[in-house]
């Protein structure tokens, strides 16, 4: 578990201040909350050892932001509104993704960093459940999209995400047929024949969506397209789970070969993770 949690810290760009421990960094934030304000256009923080202010790097600002958000959710804010807004604006200008993190993502990152600092804010079971929830939602903080290998387990893997674009395309043929059916019915049997055709189409969206799902489900029951990188060569690999009419397809586990390097791969539908099969 230590390796899994530590990998989250490095992947999400979150690290402690150079020369400062986790407790010393929090002490610096409390100094700001007690009355010391950041000055200038860039966000700055006082060093608890010397009292002098320094300008954190981008990764250090992200670390401070995660700390501040987690403490705020816990009812113990570390920054006042002005300092927090200055930090958030600074990160937004630098294009950081941490400013858009949800509450669960903040909690997940804080748990990973706390574990790396030999602290604990949640059990392993809570951590794994939260990670699965974020992975299912496609959150970047919980996904290991780049291939990675473990010396402990002697395995290589990479996480997969749902290919929403191709998944949506599966429903387009039935949606087109549904639109034609709705256009005929609404023109022949409803007062919508006297309205703008575009307005009639908008009104019929619920019918078209239901029609597309039902018809597609008859041919492609419970379809799922996952995409990820091959743990061996890093090339993009896609897998379709589900039957195609009467032709059986992958159910829960897919065993396949990479189209680029011919490496043997195993993909679990629920875990959504490619694993390199050495045998």
């Amino acid at each position: 578990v230590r390796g899994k949690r530590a990998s989250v810290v490095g992947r999400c760009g979150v690290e402690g201040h150079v020369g400062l421990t986790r407790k010393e960094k929090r002490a610096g934030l409390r100094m700001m909350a007690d009355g010391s304000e950041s000055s200038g256009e860039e966000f700055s923080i006082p060093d608890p050892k010397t009292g002098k202010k320094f300008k954190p790097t981008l990764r250090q600002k992200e670390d401070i932001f995660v700390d501040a958000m987690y403490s705020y959710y816990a009812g113990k804010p570390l920054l006042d509104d002005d300092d927090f807004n200055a930090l958030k604006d600074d990160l937004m200008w630098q294009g950081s993704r941490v400013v858009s993190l949800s509450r669960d993502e903040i909690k997940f990152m804080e748990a990973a960093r706390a574990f790396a600092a030999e602290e604990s804010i949640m059990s392993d079971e809570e951590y794994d459940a939260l990670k699965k929830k974020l992975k299912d939602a496609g959150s970047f903080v919980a996904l290991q999209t780049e291939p990675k290998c473990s010396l402990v387990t002697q395995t290589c893997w990479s996480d997969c995400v749902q290919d929403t674009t191709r998944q949506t395309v599966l429903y387009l043929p039935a949606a087109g047929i549904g639109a034609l059916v709705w256009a005929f019915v609404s023109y022949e049997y409803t007062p919508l024949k006297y309205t703008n055709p575009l307005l009639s189409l908008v009104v019929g969206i619920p019918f078209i969506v239901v029609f597309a799902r039902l018809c597609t489900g008859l041919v492609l029951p419970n379809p799922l397209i996952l995409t990820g990188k091959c743990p061996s060569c890093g090339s993009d690999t896609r897998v379709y789970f589900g039957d195609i009419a009467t032709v059986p397809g992958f159910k829960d586990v897919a065993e396949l070969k990479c189209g680029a390097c011919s490496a043997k791969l195993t993909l679990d539908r629920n875990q959504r993770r490619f694993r390199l099969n050495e045998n």
Side-chain angles (χ1 to χ4, degrees), residues 94-109:
Q94 296 186 61
S96 174
R97 293 192 292 178
V98 301
V99 295
S100 61
L101 294 179
S102 67
R103 183 168 185 166
D104 283 340
E105 288 172 327
I106 291 290
K107 185 177 181 180
F108 177 79
M109 292 179 65

Side-chain angles (χ1 to χ4, degrees), residues 221-224 238-244 247-257 265 267 269:
N222 196 23
L224 177 64
R238 297 180 184 85
V239 179
Y240 174 84
F241 284 93
D243 298 337
I244 302 177
V247 180
F250 294 126
K251 302 296 185 182
D252 298 320
V253 178
E255 294 184 354
L256 65 152
K257 287 186 178 181
L265 306 176
L267 174 59
R269 177 172 182 152

Side-chain angles (χ1 to χ4, degrees), residues 135-271:
K135 284 182 65 176
D136 292 343
S139 172
F140 76 94
V141 301
L143 292 172
Q144 179 65 48
T145 54
E146 294 299 324
K148 186 176 182 179
C149 296
S150 171
L151 295 177
V152 178
T153 61
Q154 297 292 312
T155 58
C156 297
W157 72 89
S158 63
D159 288 333
C160 300
V161 295
Q162 182 175 344
D163 193 331
T164 54
T165 301
R166 287 175 172 79
Q167 191 91 16
T168 303
V169 170
L170 295 178
Y171 296 92
L172 291 183
I177 297 174
L180 293 176
V181 172
W182 171 257
F184 174 78
V185 172
S186 62
Y187 183 81
E188 293 292 338
Y189 303 104
T190 71
L192 291 174
K193 64 185 298 183
Y194 303 109
T195 63
N196 189 302
L198 292 179
L199 178 60
S200 174
L201 190 62
V202 171
V203 174
I205 287 179
F207 168 82
I208 297 173
V209 171
V210 172
F211 183 90
R213 288 185 177 276
L214 291 176
C215 291
T216 303
L218 294 175
V219 181
L220 305 173
N222 196 23
L224 177 64
I225 301 177
L226 297 180
T227 180
K229 294 184 180 297
C230 171
S232 178
C233 65
S235 61
D236 291 334
T237 304
R238 297 180 184 85
V239 179
Y240 174 84
F241 284 93
D243 298 337
I244 302 177
T246 58
V247 180
F250 294 126
K251 302 296 185 182
D252 298 320
V253 178
E255 294 184 354
L256 65 152
K257 287 186 178 181
C258 173
C261 67
S262 298
K264 295 181 179 180
L265 306 176
T266 299
L267 174 59
D268 188 288
R269 177 172 182 152
N270 294 324
Q271 293 182 352

Side-chain angles (χ1 to χ4, degrees), residues 19-120:
L20 296 179
T21 66
R22 184 178 175 85
K23 292 183 178 179
E24 289 172 337
K25 178 198 64 179
R26 284 181 172 266
L29 294 177
R30 291 192 182 96
M31 290 173 63
M32 297 179 65
D34 291 339
S36 178
E37 299 179 353
S38 59
S39 59
E41 295 182 356
E42 286 191 70
F43 178 83
S44 60
I45 181 175
D47 188 327
K49 296 179 179 178
T50 64
K52 295 182 180 180
K53 292 188 176 183
F54 68 95
K55 295 179 180 179
T57 64
L58 174 60
R59 297 184 70 178
Q60 290 170 344
K61 291 174 186 176
E62 291 175 333
D63 189 16
I64 296 172
F65 183 85
V66 172
D67 260 342
M69 287 294 295
Y70 181 79
S71 299
Y72 173 79
Y73 289 138
K76 302 176 181 179
L78 293 177
L79 296 175
D80 60 28
D81 291 345
D82 292 337
D83 288 324
F84 178 80
N85 290 333
L87 173 60
K88 184 175 181 180
D89 291 341
D90 202 346
L91 289 172
M92 290 180 64
W93 276 105
Q94 296 186 61
S96 174
R97 293 192 292 178
V98 301
V99 295
S100 61
L101 294 179
S102 67
R103 183 168 185 166
D104 283 340
E105 288 172 327
I106 291 290
K107 185 177 181 180
F108 177 79
M109 292 179 65
E110 184 68 12
R113 295 190 305 110
F115 191 86
E118 298 184 352
E119 301 175 9
S120 180

